[in-house]
Amino acid sequence: MSGRRIATRVSQLNGEGALAVFARAKELERQGRSVIHLELGEPDFHPAAPVVDSLRNAVASGRDRYCATRGIPALRQEITRYLARTRKLSIQPEQVLVAPGCKMALSLAMMALIEPGDEVLYPDPGFPIYPSCTRGLGGKAVPFFLIEKNKFQPDLDEIASKITGKTTVIIFNSPNNPTGTVFDDRALEGIAALAIKHDLWVLTDEIYARILFNGDYKSISLLPGMAERTVIIDGFSKSFAMTGWRLGYAVAPVHVIDAMDLLVLNTFTCAAEFTQVAAIEALRDTTNAVDAMVNEYKLRRDLFVQSLAKIPGFRCYSPEGAFYAWVNIEDTGLPAEEVQESL
Ligand code: PLP
């Protein structure tokens, strides 16, 4: 090996366990086995026909150039309408930044907000990129636990006890990947009160906000005093079954969006314009594709949870949102890796 080295921040990052299982499942498929995939958060739906038509037309009409770093104005405008309609949010296009994927919007927000040495609170179990990216930026990732006894709602006393003078950000994801928990009013109000008391940023990953089986979605940013300290992350991968299109966005105070915009300029320049044009059609959802997909997920959820309950050793709460089930296998007496392997 030469003396030339890889920057240490890379060694702070972790991968995603689901991707390793996915690779193993793919290998089994190559060997001719039929596999039901229970690992990656990938819808088996595809975007609605008008969205695909719009993409085709956009490419054909030359919408394939560099475009605005923070996203084309028409899409940012449509996102404000969509969030007003589906989440009662009142925001301006200046508060929106489009990125290639929710993950990229998340990374940009974290790059804009986290200094080396900062402590960042994140949910465990949760999306593995939150602690990974925090460490990559030189921050300290501090977990707060979502446990079965609390129906996977956060323990506000635990969060309060973990806030120090160095805590700057709290991240959460509701509905949560992988528990399917929707944070209740008490949790949202408690987190908001702590964020205000300790002057924290709140990073709310709302990528599953539309995949909700009961009631309306409540964003923490609607609570008094929260809009100015909240960054919302969302995107098209899950709600509109557009994982491979790589399109997501952030909603934040304008000075945060300006900082993220500079990061865009220094990295990927812009998200592909033709996908952004078609994303406007997705948000308008003229065929009610989202409701149809969520109804199907609900049927599958019920079938999965009811069937699982009949298998000795397995149990899980019925998820309130997203398309994950967090299964307790304790009573099988087997280690997780062994169950994973035999599945
Ligand atoms: N955030 C959460 C909680 C997720 O579960 C995922 C995907 O699994 C993402 C973000 C990534 O979204 P995207 O594919 O738009 O980058």
Side-chain angles (χ1 to χ4, degrees):
M1 265 227 277
S2 80
R4 293 188 303 276
R5 58 181 174 76
I6 301 292
T8 47
R9 73 177 64 84
V10 179
S11 68
Q12 300 300 308
L13 304 177
N14 55 249
E16 280 190 51
L19 286 170
V21 178
F22 179 67
R24 169 93 180 109
K26 280 286 180 204
E27 175 53 33
L28 289 172
E29 280 178 338
R30 260 193 300 278
Q31 293 167 17
R33 302 273 292 272
S34 164
V35 175
I36 296 173
H37 288 266
L38 293 176
E39 72 298 281
L40 282 194
E42 170 117 69
D44 58 341
F45 297 89
H46 287 277
V51 183
V52 178
D53 288 344
S54 172
L55 181 88
R56 209 178 275 122
N57 294 338
V59 177
S61 61
R63 305 291 298 269
D64 57 359
R65 312 278 85 194
Y66 289 132
C67 62
T69 47
R70 55 181 70 193
I72 59 172
L75 175 58
R76 289 163 53 228
Q77 181 78 55
E78 196 64 36
I79 289 170
T80 66
R81 290 194 195 108
Y82 166 77
L83 292 176
R85 195 170 70 244
T86 57
R87 238 167 283 177
K88 299 193 183 74
L89 288 170
S90 172
I91 50 159
Q92 300 302 315
E94 296 73 44
Q95 291 169 262
V96 180
L97 179 133
V98 177
C102 180
K103 228 178 195 175
M104 194 68 231
L106 175 72
S107 304
L108 293 171
M110 292 178 79
M111 281 191 256
L113 301 182
I114 300 171
E115 293 274 24
D118 283 357
E119 293 182 11
V120 175
L121 284 155
Y122 72 96
D124 182 359
F127 192 47
I129 300 309
Y130 308 143
S132 176
C133 217
T134 299
R135 288 193 306 271
L137 292 167
K140 181 175 170 198
V142 180
F144 62 89
F145 297 101
L146 305 178
I147 60 172
E148 194 181 30
K149 184 169 69 74
N150 298 335
K151 297 192 168 163
F152 303 108
Q153 292 291 335
D155 176 343
L156 296 167
D157 292 335
E158 184 204 356
I159 295 178
S161 74
K162 289 182 170 172
I163 295 174
T164 73
K166 291 184 177 168
T167 309
T168 52
V169 180
I170 175 162
I171 305 181
F172 70 92
N173 168 228
S174 169
N176 178 265
N177 168 3
T179 61
T181 318
V182 176
F183 281 19
D184 59 19
D185 288 353
R186 190 175 163 273
L188 296 181
E189 283 161 18
I191 291 171
L194 288 170
I196 291 169
K197 181 173 173 199
H198 299 279
D199 198 16
L200 310 179
W201 288 108
V202 171
L203 207 46
T204 162
D205 182 343
E206 302 187 357
I207 190 166
Y208 299 108
R210 295 298 304 286
I211 307 179
L212 203 64
F213 302 125
N214 282 309
D216 293 328
Y217 189 78
K218 281 189 202 146
S219 174
I220 194 168
S221 86
L222 283 175
L223 296 179
M226 288 308 291
E228 69 210 54
R229 60 179 65 255
T230 302
V231 178
I232 299 173
I233 302 295
D234 200 345
F236 296 83
S237 300
K238 319 288 176 167
S239 304
F240 301 99
M242 288 161 63
T243 48
W245 292 47
R246 311 311 305 132
L247 212 54
Y249 54 89
V251 175
V254 175
H255 68 293
V256 179
I257 295 295
D258 287 344
M260 291 170 67
D261 191 34
L262 191 58
L263 291 165
V264 172
L265 191 72
N266 278 269
T267 49
F268 57 84
T269 307
C270 60
E273 186 179 12
F274 42 84
T275 58
Q276 296 189 55
V277 173
I280 296 172
E281 192 62 42
L283 292 174
R284 290 182 182 159
D285 191 16
T286 51
T287 59
N288 283 327
V290 178
D291 284 349
M293 185 179 69
V294 173
N295 285 338
E296 175 62 28
Y297 282 141
K298 192 172 181 184
L299 292 174
R300 292 180 190 179
R301 173 198 68 169
D302 293 343
L303 179 68
F304 183 87
V305 173
Q306 285 158 18
S307 308
L308 189 89
K310 296 183 190 143
I311 308 175
F314 291 77
R315 64 171 189 265
C316 87
Y317 274 111
S318 188
E320 302 160 88
F323 41 45
Y324 304 95
W326 188 236
V327 178
N328 190 321
I329 58 159
E330 201 172 54
D331 295 341
T332 63
L334 299 170
E337 291 70 23
E338 210 172 306
V339 174
Q340 172 188 306
E341 194 60 27
S342 48
L343 282 175

